[in-house]
Amino acid sequence: MEKLMEILMEINPDIDYKTEKNLIDGKILDSFSIVNLVAQISETFDIEISPKYLIPKYFNSVDAMWEMIQAILDEE
Amino acid sequence: MNNFKKVLLHSLLLILFVVILLVLFMVPYFHGEYYFYQDYRVRQSLSGKLDTLIIGSSHASRSVKPTILNEELNINSYNISSPVMSMYGRYFMLEKEIKRNPIKTVFIEISFNALTLDRKKLGFEGDIYVLGRLDNTFERLEFFKNAFTVDEYKDIFSDTIRRSKVSLEKDMVNMFKSLKNGKKEPNQSIVQYETLGYLAVPSNNLSMTAEHKKKALNSTSIDIEIKEDNLEYFDAMMKLCQDNGIRVILIVTPVAERMILSNRNLDGLFSQYIELAHKYNCEYYDFNLDKKASELYFQKTSFYDNIHMSDQGAEIFSKRLAEIIKKVNDGEDCSKEFYNSYDEVKDYIMD
Amino acid sequence: MSLVSLSFFLFCVLLLLCYWLFPKKIQWIVLLVFSLVFYAFAGIENSFYILITAFSSWLGALWLDNVSQKSKQYIKDNKDNLTIEEKSILKNKTKRKKKLILAGILLLNFGLLCVFKYANFVIGQINTITRLFNTNTTINSLSLIIPLGISFYTFQTMGYLIDVYWEKSEACKNPLKLLLFTSFFPQITQGPISNYQQLSSQLFSEHKFDYQNFAYGFQRMVWGYFKKIAIADMLAPYVQLVFQNYNQYAGITVLIGIFFYSIQIYADFSGYMDIVCGLCRMMGIKLTENFNRPYFSKSIAEYWRRWHISLGNWFKTYLYYPIAVSRWNTKLGRKCNEIFGKSVGKNLPASIALIAVWLTTGLWHGATWGYIAWGGLNGLIIIFSMWMEPVYAFAKSKIKIKESIWKFFQVIRTFILVTFIKVLPEVGSLTAGLGLWKRIFTNHTIPTSFGTLLPFVNKLHLMAIIIGTILMLIFSLIQRKYSVGKLFNKIPTVIRIFILSLIITILIIIAFGLNNVSGGFMYEQF
């Protein structure tokens, strides 16, 4: 979880990831940041994020992202 | 079901409002006087006074001046022709005017396509003009039902909208001017009060060089097949006049030389018209066969185009027509004033 | 079937009657029948291809689903018997099989699209090249009639297929239902390109009649028709004159012409969307929005999130993300990060994906160099802005401007930029587009009167257009905070209906009054 926070802080340090639940729908993270984020997450956790996960549901909050990472790890 | 009732009610209300607004929009066109051929008020003002009518298509409306006929023959005539008038349109207008006037004489113009025109190919333009000139809703509905086919309705609607737009614009401009000047502006579109239905057009030079004449001679032909529906209404007009004891004079108005020279089969066409004249035992004068035609009408100034006379030409022709009629009325035999065939005329022109 | 026609009006009336009077269970069948009839109107000969797309996708999706489910089931059943290695091999085998199936069907459908849209372009280019070598061999262009909406329905249906491949969406079992998804008539000519999950839930659920939806939908349709008839169609002939004769007009006239085009294309496209979204709303169906006051955007990137939104979303989901987060691209990003630093590491992969997206977007819009250049230009600007972001941020922090003024400047700048870029492919060819730009900047004639400034424009028409545009602007400004529909429906019913009737009457007068009527009016005096 800390690793995830680290990545997010690197991408955009001004956001309060603990409370923000609307990162995508609220247009706080744009598509460039997402691409970057995905690249970092897949490298850090050694997983492959299939495009099917690239929807707001999985990226709107840190918790959602963490759940997604867990789900992918379980699948593999 | 409450919802559906609401929808139905609101839809009907919407449609009602749209229809009312459209009708209001069309009022200046049908009942105003900004439509070019709109002469119903003129004819209304003359109703009961006319004893002679001139009816035909644009050939007649551009070449016969009732003012001259009235002066020369001491009659009260009106020219109820309009462009591209179909035979049905002519019958309708004729019947209408005969009902409200003590008509004694009718000049029917039957130039080269009067009986051969194919209404389907030609389109509804002429009938639109007649529709506009009627003044009574029931008449309009009756005419509309008979003159137009369902596939023409959409285009007629478009056409009516366009003319209504123009009429409304002119109406508003006039109203604005009247308010500005403090008095009612005269409507300048309706010239028919002065011209008694005649509509002038300017002259164009239609003279031909000898070369030109040679090239044009018999180079083309026209449709000479008389159509059933045209004949039907022609018969109806004849019967109408017969029943009312009206003298019918069939006339062919002058056309430019190039029209006469170019077409091979004019005699084929007009021989049929002559037959019709005999059938109904009415007078028939083809002013293209007039021996004086070449000295009366100038190719440079008497014509607007191949088939229509200009204002200058109409002035001369109307006088000539009056002259012939006067002679006939005085008991003279005018057949010697005319050639016997178009071939004869062509020979004359070619020299 | 043109949306501005008597046949479409009758079509809608019939559709609404059938839709609401028939049992709710068969509402989707009514939609299917009417969609097929609508499509048939465009020519039965070409209706064949949409059936190929729908049927191949239905089959393909079920097959993909089947393969996935079988594999998952097998692994589940034999959880204890299989080693991790064996599981991995099986998973890869499944993946490969699925990839093949997907590739096959994508190839078939995109292949059809490419042949219809681009065959003649390619032939033209080949001919140009062979001419350079002075050979006499020219390939004749094919006479193809492009099937109606092929760009839209192909993308929409392939999106569905890819969603099934990614297991984002379940396969549709009923081929007729998938046919409806593919051929749904409100979207077929100009979109929006919908996503399967969103649209299917709308199309296949049962809708109960709701007066508010019905009324709002109708009002939205009237508004759409207003934009189309009173603004777009009125501007169209003027814009055409400028595009076809730009070298005969003063630079400033051409400049006005391209702004006319911006207004025209927005009114036309968004008006069309209003009409189809309104019609769908009357049936209780929610279509995805395609416009979000795009001319208020502050950057080109933002503009493309607000103009033709569904297309942008399609490209983002099915082209941009897959390329951007693909293995090779992320590897590249990582390498660049090590060698050139964080900025390059972040921006390069995104730039590659963007180039791919924008060239394809350009091509999607049309098979000409003009469109390819246009797409590339949009892409380059977005990429450039992305790389320059830290510079802009730095500059902004140093220069003190009031926030609202800066935002206003950004909006105007973006609008002007968008207007210029937009016309490049529309003038006829790339050279013509460049020629038009040149005319604006090099011709400095100052027209002395309205007649010389806009010689082809009827003053009355212009007044109507200006009033219409101002209305559009006002609506857009209101829409920032409020729903125009809600406000409008506060007006008492009879007055509201009267206002609608007035607008409809005016539209009828404009639409029918501008018509070029058949049957020569040789003796026209007006």
Side-chain angles (χ1 to χ4, degrees):
Chain A
M1 191 61 149
E2 302 83 42
K3 278 199 202 150
L4 180 58
M5 279 301 255
E6 261 177 53
I7 297 171
L8 285 165
M9 290 304 271
E10 227 190 287
I11 290 178
N12 192 334
D14 299 323
I15 306 173
D16 183 3
Y17 295 104
K18 292 216 178 73
T19 51
E20 193 56 68
K21 300 282 175 220
N22 232 2
L23 290 165
I24 307 302
D25 289 327
K27 303 209 196 325
I28 302 171
L29 282 179
D30 66 16
S31 43
F32 300 141
S33 311
I34 307 230
V35 168
N36 201 2
L37 181 60
V38 166
Q40 301 270 12
I41 292 178
S42 40
E43 195 195 339
T44 310
F45 295 92
D46 196 22
I47 52 174
E48 193 183 333
I49 301 183
S50 143
K52 82 175 185 199
Y53 289 106
L54 297 177
I55 48 177
K57 178 167 141 188
Y58 298 112
F59 283 86
N60 258 335
S61 67
V62 187
D63 297 324
M65 288 186 228
W66 187 245
E67 271 180 48
M68 171 193 78
I69 296 171
Q70 296 303 320
I72 298 176
L73 284 168
D74 280 339
E75 262 180 32
E76 286 184 0
Chain B
M1 280 302 128
N2 186 15
N3 265 329
F4 275 126
K5 262 201 220 143
K6 220 175 169 184
V7 167
L8 198 63
L9 194 66
H10 290 182
S11 305
L12 286 173
L13 198 58
L14 185 82
I15 295 173
L16 185 67
F17 277 147
V18 170
V19 168
I20 292 175
L21 286 169
L22 279 174
V23 167
L24 280 175
F25 175 72
M26 293 189 205
V27 163
Y29 164 59
F30 284 111
H31 292 283
E33 275 200 301
Y34 297 93
Y35 166 44
F36 192 75
Y37 301 117
Q38 187 54 286
D39 63 344
Y40 81 87
R41 286 195 197 164
V42 181
R43 287 179 283 118
Q44 242 171 33
S45 67
L46 295 169
S47 137
K49 304 194 184 98
L50 300 171
D51 56 34
T52 307
L53 289 176
I54 301 117
I55 186 154
S57 65
S58 52
H59 303 120
S61 83
R62 310 283 183 210
S63 56
V64 183
K65 292 194 176 187
T67 45
I68 293 183
L69 294 185
N70 289 356
E71 205 185 297
E72 302 287 325
L73 299 171
N74 201 15
I75 53 175
N76 272 317
S77 64
Y78 193 89
N79 191 334
I80 54 172
S81 312
S82 57
V84 212
M85 222 179 189
S86 62
M87 275 296 153
Y88 176 60
R90 296 190 199 194
Y91 171 73
F92 203 85
M93 291 290 276
L94 193 65
E95 194 189 35
K96 183 186 166 78
E97 294 304 332
I98 286 176
K99 269 203 195 115
R100 60 180 181 180
N101 288 292
I103 302 293
K104 295 217 184 58
T105 317
V106 171
F107 289 90
I108 300 182
E109 169 264 316
I110 46 161
S111 298
F112 68 99
N113 74 342
L115 290 170
T116 59
L117 71 87
D118 185 347
R119 168 71 173 73
K120 278 202 191 28
K121 279 210 202 109
L122 194 64
F124 54 69
E125 188 184 347
D127 288 326
I128 291 257
Y129 297 147
V130 173
L131 185 71
R133 294 169 69 196
L134 300 171
D135 52 40
N136 174 319
T137 313
F138 293 113
E139 268 179 12
R140 274 203 200 101
L141 286 173
E142 189 194 335
F143 184 77
F144 187 86
K145 194 174 60 150
N146 293 329
F148 304 105
T149 51
V150 181
D151 56 308
E152 292 174 331
Y153 286 176
K154 178 165 164 272
D155 288 335
I156 292 171
F157 184 64
S158 289
D159 179 79
T160 310
I161 296 272
R162 281 193 1 253
R163 291 178 199 273
S164 302
K165 253 201 322 205
V166 178
S167 297
L168 186 64
E169 274 170 29
K170 286 190 182 173
D171 212 355
M172 296 206 296
V173 166
N174 230 38
M175 201 163 38
F176 182 67
K177 273 199 206 145
S178 303
L179 285 172
K180 213 166 111 180
N181 301 336
K183 59 175 166 66
K184 190 167 192 310
E185 287 284 318
N187 182 355
Q188 289 161 328
S189 313
I190 307 302
V191 301
Q192 286 91 325
Y193 283 109
E194 272 86 47
T195 67
L196 299 178
Y198 159 76
L199 296 169
V201 280
S203 313
N204 285 311
N205 185 352
L206 287 161
S207 46
M208 293 163 75
T209 59
E211 275 279 325
H212 214 159
K213 285 186 190 176
K214 270 203 204 108
K215 253 201 184 156
L217 183 63
N218 293 331
S219 56
T220 182
S221 62
I222 52 170
D223 180 8
I224 65 169
E225 185 197 334
I226 295 183
K227 309 294 184 290
E228 276 304 314
D229 45 346
N230 294 337
L231 200 57
E232 188 189 318
Y233 286 114
F234 182 76
D235 289 344
M237 278 199 285
M238 289 291 134
K239 188 161 184 308
L240 181 66
C241 293
Q242 269 176 4
D243 289 347
N244 287 286
I246 295 174
R247 173 186 179 192
V248 172
I249 304 175
L250 300 174
I251 58 171
V252 181
T253 52
V255 295
E257 272 176 5
R258 58 177 69 185
M259 184 67 192
I260 298 173
L261 280 181
S262 320
N263 289 297
R264 292 187 275 269
N265 49 3
L266 291 172
D267 284 317
L269 172 69
F270 288 106
S271 55
Q272 297 178 75
Y273 287 0
I274 296 170
E275 258 182 61
L276 278 174
H278 284 155
K279 176 175 167 197
Y280 290 102
N281 197 25
C282 55
E283 296 159 74
Y284 174 90
Y285 307 108
D286 184 341
F287 285 91
N288 288 301
L289 301 179
D290 185 354
K291 284 183 180 159
K292 286 213 180 125
S294 53
E295 72 180 69
L296 285 172
Y297 315 119
F298 306 107
Q299 299 307 302
K300 263 204 180 132
T301 56
S302 303
F303 296 98
Y304 170 71
D305 63 18
N306 277 2
I307 52 181
H308 298 104
M309 304 199 87
S310 66
D311 189 40
Q312 291 182 38
E315 185 82 16
I316 305 169
F317 169 65
S318 303
K319 289 209 175 90
R320 177 62 174 159
L321 176 61
E323 186 189 336
I324 293 290
I325 298 302
K326 220 188 268 181
K327 287 190 180 167
V328 171
N329 289 347
D330 291 340
E332 265 186 61
D333 172 24
C334 286
S335 55
K336 59 178 168 34
E337 306 260 1
F338 296 91
Y339 288 115
N340 289 317
S341 72
Y342 275 86
D343 286 334
E344 275 189 62
V345 178
K346 279 184 201 170
D347 290 337
Y348 188 79
I349 297 176
M350 285 306 285
D351 295 328
Chain C
M1 213 190 293
S2 160
L3 253 53
V4 183
S5 68
L6 197 62
S7 13
F8 184 70
F9 171 70
L10 292 171
F11 178 86
C12 287
V13 170
L14 209 60
L15 167 67
L16 289 168
L17 282 172
C18 291
Y19 189 81
W20 289 118
L21 294 177
F22 287 8
K24 292 194 186 46
K25 276 206 192 24
I26 67 165
Q27 275 170 342
W28 72 272
I29 298 183
V30 171
L31 291 175
L32 177 61
V33 170
F34 275 85
S35 295
L36 294 176
V37 167
F38 185 89
Y39 202 84
F41 250 84
I44 294 206
E45 320 80 53
N46 278 7
S47 308
F48 179 57
Y49 298 101
I50 197 173
L51 295 175
I52 295 182
T53 301
F55 193 65
S56 63
S57 310
W58 170 72
L59 212 61
L62 279 179
W63 196 358
L64 284 169
D65 220 20
N66 186 295
V67 167
S68 302
Q69 299 298 13
K70 257 201 187 145
S71 162
K72 286 206 180 108
Q73 194 63 36
Y74 183 79
I75 291 180
K76 197 166 158 211
D77 291 341
N78 296 292
K79 211 164 36 170
D80 307 312
N81 306 351
L82 295 166
T83 63
I84 294 186
E85 227 182 71
E86 281 173 332
K87 277 195 205 154
S88 180
I89 293 174
L90 202 64
K91 278 202 188 138
N92 280 338
K93 241 177 107 181
T94 312
K95 217 169 156 195
R96 238 177 299 142
K97 192 166 183 193
K98 281 172 73 176
K99 265 202 183 129
L100 267 170
I101 298 172
L102 178 71
I105 308 216
L106 285 181
L107 196 65
L108 169 66
N109 288 291
F110 279 121
L112 272 174
L113 175 64
C114 288
V115 166
F116 277 112
K117 269 184 97 159
Y118 306 112
N120 284 330
F121 175 65
V122 170
I123 290 174
Q125 302 313 307
I126 295 177
N127 285 337
T128 315
I129 297 175
T130 54
R131 239 179 295 143
L132 281 175
F133 291 102
N134 280 332
T135 44
N136 272 335
T137 45
T138 39
I139 309 174
N140 287 329
S141 51
L142 308 168
S143 61
L144 296 164
I145 301 177
I146 303 182
L148 182 68
I150 192 170
S151 301
F152 291 96
Y153 73 69
T154 306
F155 270 50
Q156 181 161 298
T157 317
M158 292 304 102
Y160 157 72
L161 192 66
I162 298 174
D163 280 348
V164 172
Y165 171 77
W166 283 337
E167 293 175 38
K168 231 168 137 175
S169 165
E170 269 187 23
C172 174
K173 295 206 173 51
N174 186 332
L176 290 178
K177 279 192 173 166
L178 191 65
L179 181 59
L180 173 56
F181 173 74
T182 307
S183 66
F184 189 44
F185 79 91
Q187 312 179 289
I188 201 82
T189 9
Q190 293 204 38
I193 301 177
S194 293
N195 142 298
Y196 182 76
Q197 290 103 303
Q198 189 266 336
L199 187 60
S200 59
S201 67
Q202 297 291 313
L203 290 180
F204 306 132
S205 53
E206 294 178 9
H207 297 273
K208 200 168 142 218
F209 185 84
D210 174 57
Y211 179 78
Q212 197 183 65
N213 274 337
F214 197 82
Y216 275 44
F218 179 73
Q219 287 157 18
R220 187 166 181 187
M221 281 185 87
V222 172
W223 176 235
Y225 275 109
F226 176 79
K227 279 167 146 171
K228 198 155 183 358
I229 296 175
I231 303 176
D233 288 350
M234 283 232 181
L235 279 170
Y238 301 144
V239 169
Q240 274 308 108
L241 275 173
V242 170
F243 282 177
Q244 281 164 10
N245 309 292
Y246 56 85
N247 271 326
Q248 292 166 25
Y249 297 119
I252 186 162
T253 305
V254 180
L255 183 66
I256 296 179
I258 66 173
F259 280 98
F260 274 2
Y261 179 67
S262 273
I263 300 171
Q264 178 209 334
I265 193 76
Y266 173 69
D268 197 290
F269 203 175
S270 69
Y272 190 99
M273 288 300 118
D274 286 325
I275 295 172
V276 299
C277 287
L279 179 62
C280 285
R281 186 153 189 193
M282 289 175 87
M283 296 189 284
I285 295 171
K286 194 166 180 346
L287 275 187
T288 177
E289 293 294 331
N290 238 355
F291 291 93
N292 181 15
R293 302 176 299 113
Y295 290 150
F296 286 72
S297 305
K298 298 196 268 313
S299 69
I300 299 280
E302 187 186 352
Y303 172 79
W304 283 105
R305 290 193 289 267
R306 296 166 77 151
W307 175 283
H308 207 167
I309 298 173
S310 63
L311 185 70
N313 276 345
W314 194 98
F315 274 115
K316 185 169 80 175
T317 313
Y318 300 107
L319 197 59
Y320 178 74
Y321 278 148
I323 295 182
V325 305
S326 64
R327 206 163 264 180
W328 61 269
N329 210 2
T330 40
K331 254 200 204 142
L332 177 69
R334 232 172 292 152
K335 275 253 157 61
C336 289
N337 201 352
E338 288 166 24
I339 306 175
F340 299 109
K342 228 176 9 171
S343 185
V344 178
K346 177 178 115 167
N347 289 336
L348 191 58
S351 305
I352 295 176
L354 280 172
I355 288 282
V357 164
W358 279 103
L359 286 176
T360 321
T361 305
L363 260 177
W364 182 92
H365 278 85
T368 67
W369 286 114
Y371 279 110
I372 298 174
W374 167 84
L377 190 57
N378 273 294
L380 280 173
I381 295 179
I382 295 175
I383 293 172
F384 182 74
S385 307
M386 184 178 71
W387 286 88
M388 293 291 282
E389 224 231 286
V391 176
Y392 289 151
F394 180 73
K396 188 154 167 261
S397 66
K398 290 292 167 196
I399 306 170
K400 299 285 174 214
I401 309 179
K402 203 167 157 195
E403 191 68 30
S404 51
I405 297 182
W406 175 243
K407 276 200 184 137
F408 184 72
F409 164 73
Q410 282 181 305
V411 169
I412 300 291
R413 173 201 66 182
T414 307
F415 180 57
I416 295 176
L417 204 57
V418 157
T419 299
F420 270 88
I421 298 175
K422 225 194 269 280
V423 294
L424 189 63
E426 301 296 337
V427 190
S429 67
L430 181 56
T431 25
L434 292 170
L436 186 135
W437 278 0
K438 187 167 163 215
R439 183 77 182 169
I440 295 177
F441 291 112
T442 56
N443 181 291
H444 304 294
T445 326
I446 303 201
T448 46
S449 69
F450 181 83
T452 42
L453 175 68
L454 292 171
F456 40 77
V457 171
N458 176 317
K459 280 194 189 151
L460 207 66
H461 283 182
L462 187 64
M463 245 188 354
I465 293 168
I466 291 178
I467 294 175
T469 309
I470 292 178
L471 262 171
M472 270 205 302
L473 189 61
I474 294 175
F475 270 44
S476 291
L477 290 170
I478 297 177
Q479 275 170 333
R480 284 193 300 175
K481 289 223 180 88
Y482 309 103
S483 153
V484 179
K486 280 211 182 84
L487 288 175
F488 185 67
N489 283 286
K490 289 212 169 98
I491 304 175
T493 310
V494 180
I495 302 181
R496 202 173 68 225
I497 295 180
F498 179 73
I499 295 177
L500 283 173
S501 323
L502 194 60
I503 299 174
I504 292 174
T505 308
I506 292 175
L507 293 180
I508 291 177
I509 290 172
I510 297 176
F512 279 92
L514 285 181
N515 233 358
N516 276 328
V517 181
S518 58
F521 275 59
M522 314 161 287
Y523 303 94
E524 257 278 23
Q525 288 289 346
F526 277 158

